[in-house]
Amino acid sequence: MFKFRFETVLATRRNAEELHQKELAEARRALAAEQAALRDKRSTRRRCMQELQRTQRQSFRAPAVQLYGPYLARLERDIDAQQKRVTGAERHVNQKRSALIAAVKKRKVLEKLKAKDQKNHVNAMALRDRKFMDDVASRQHAAAKQKI
């Protein structure tokens, strides 16, 4: 019966890998939410610009046009801030991805060691069995010679 000597370490590394996978998934969800918010803000700015152009073509009212300036400036600041949040979320996703890759490598190293140990165990058992069978055959041959 083969028992891997580092089975508890391997199980711990598998659990750590699963944790990193969950963290990466959460980071990706957060990134998607930040990207959606950025798209919404850009869409709002585009609609506002179209509305401003339509207002300017239809009738030029200075007070109405003046209201658009501060609002558009605020939208630009919001878009810049949101873009920074998206960049931060992308960085966070990359960090989580790197951590997951490192965890996978650590797990694979132990799995390769386990496979090697298991192969060595199987070879040792086969060698032991061959030695036993050779011993049995030698004894039978010696017993057969004594009877003759």
Side-chain angles (χ1 to χ4, degrees), residues 87-145:
T87 302
E90 287 171 343
R91 194 175 316 112
H92 187 66
V93 166
N94 289 334
Q95 290 171 348
K96 294 300 179 182
R97 185 179 299 118
S98 297
L100 175 60
I101 289 169
V104 167
K105 285 180 182 178
K106 287 180 179 180
R107 176 190 50 85
K108 284 186 176 185
V109 165
L110 277 181
E111 285 182 345
K112 286 179 183 178
L113 179 62
K114 180 179 181 177
K116 182 180 173 186
D117 283 358
Q118 199 166 17
K119 182 180 176 185
N120 289 342
H121 176 75
V122 167
N123 289 340
M125 295 296 289
L127 180 63
R128 193 186 82 205
D129 289 346
R130 275 195 306 272
K131 284 181 179 179
F132 177 75
M133 295 305 274
D134 287 348
D135 188 42
V136 168
S138 296
R139 288 180 190 205
Q140 285 179 349
H141 181 69
K145 271 190 170 181

Side-chain angles (χ1 to χ4, degrees), residues 1-146:
M1 172 91 179
F2 174 74
K3 184 169 175 14
F4 184 50
R5 59 190 167 173
F6 298 118
E7 192 63 43
T8 55
V9 176
L10 181 58
T12 302
R13 292 210 175 151
R14 284 182 182 139
N15 290 338
E17 182 182 344
E18 288 175 14
L19 178 65
H20 286 296
Q21 286 175 342
K22 289 176 184 176
E23 289 174 351
L24 177 59
E26 182 59 36
R28 284 182 174 163
R29 278 191 292 277
L31 173 60
E34 296 292 350
Q35 288 172 333
L38 180 61
R39 280 192 304 274
D40 289 345
K41 289 181 187 308
R42 286 180 175 164
S43 176
T44 301
R45 179 185 60 188
R46 190 169 36 298
R47 284 193 310 271
C48 184
M49 291 295 289
Q50 290 170 348
E51 192 176 313
L52 174 62
Q53 290 171 353
R54 187 171 27 87
T55 303
Q56 287 175 338
R57 275 179 289 177
Q58 289 177 353
S59 62
F60 186 73
R61 295 186 194 142
V65 173
Q66 286 177 344
L67 293 175
Y68 282 98
Y71 181 65
L72 286 171
R74 173 63 190 257
L75 278 176
E76 286 300 322
R77 286 192 305 272
D78 289 349
I79 289 171
D80 289 341
Q82 188 63 37
Q83 182 61 47
K84 288 177 184 173
R85 285 193 289 275
V86 167
T87 302
E90 287 171 343
R91 194 175 316 112
H92 187 66
V93 166
N94 289 334
Q95 290 171 348
K96 294 300 179 182
R97 185 179 299 118
S98 297
L100 175 60
I101 289 169
V104 167
K105 285 180 182 178
K106 287 180 179 180
R107 176 190 50 85
K108 284 186 176 185
V109 165
L110 277 181
E111 285 182 345
K112 286 179 183 178
L113 179 62
K114 180 179 181 177
K116 182 180 173 186
D117 283 358
Q118 199 166 17
K119 182 180 176 185
N120 289 342
H121 176 75
V122 167
N123 289 340
M125 295 296 289
L127 180 63
R128 193 186 82 205
D129 289 346
R130 275 195 306 272
K131 284 181 179 179
F132 177 75
M133 295 305 274
D134 287 348
D135 188 42
V136 168
S138 296
R139 288 180 190 205
Q140 285 179 349
H141 181 69
K145 271 190 170 181
Q146 285 181 354

